[in-house]
Amino acid sequence: VQLVESGGGLVQAGGSLRLSCTTSGFSFESYGIGWFRQAPGKEREGVSCIDSSDGNSVYADSVKGRFTISSDNAKNTVYLQMNALKPEDTAVYYCAAAWHSCSRGAHYGIDYWGKGTLVTVSL
């Protein structure tokens, strides 16, 4: 099983980035795929999640209206489009997979994690 994040980098406040999570080794459409982030000195927090089976998605309040999650089931890849970035969005962003759905993952935990990609938003 692999979840490989890409697309992180340094961007000025107000800018945009698109993260990608390319997966392999499991049945993509049977999982909820989400993004978490961890800022220095803070706990890991959920950002967004999408159910690969039907496209239902959820967002943290802090990113609603700025971030958009999407999936390409043909490529087993999930994207996170991040617009209007703020310095407080600076964190390592992790891709994660939960069997069956995002809601089940929220209750029972994550099955697979990626290694993360760093996003730095400067003033």
Side-chain angles (χ1 to χ4, degrees):
V1 172
Q2 283 192 315
L3 290 81
V4 180
E5 302 96 336
S6 62
L10 174 64
V11 64
Q12 287 189 327
S16 298
L17 283 174
R18 188 176 82 155
L19 305 183
S20 299
C21 173
T22 301
T23 74
S24 62
F26 62 95
S27 180
F28 183 83
E29 292 192 8
S30 296
Y31 283 74
I33 310 293
W35 291 92
F36 290 75
R37 67 185 181 186
Q38 187 166 21
K42 295 188 177 181
E43 292 188 355
R44 190 174 296 187
E45 63 174 350
V47 175
S48 183
C49 189
I50 187 166
D51 289 335
S52 301
S53 59
D54 58 16
N56 285 338
S57 59
V58 292
Y59 296 91
D61 288 343
S62 59
V63 305
K64 280 181 182 177
R66 300 188 298 123
F67 291 10
T68 303
I69 193 168
S70 61
S71 68
D72 184 336
N73 289 16
K75 296 182 178 180
N76 292 347
T77 299
V78 169
Y79 304 97
L80 186 68
Q81 178 66 43
M82 307 187 295
N83 298 329
L85 283 162
K86 305 175 182 180
E88 51 263 45
D89 294 317
T90 294
V92 177
Y93 283 71
Y94 298 90
C95 181
W99 181 75
H100 189 269
S101 65
C102 298
S103 58
R104 188 185 186 279
H107 190 71
Y108 292 104
I110 298 297
D111 294 282
Y112 308 118
W113 289 95
K115 294 184 178 181
T117 185
L118 177 62
V119 172
T120 304
V121 184
S122 65
L123 288 170

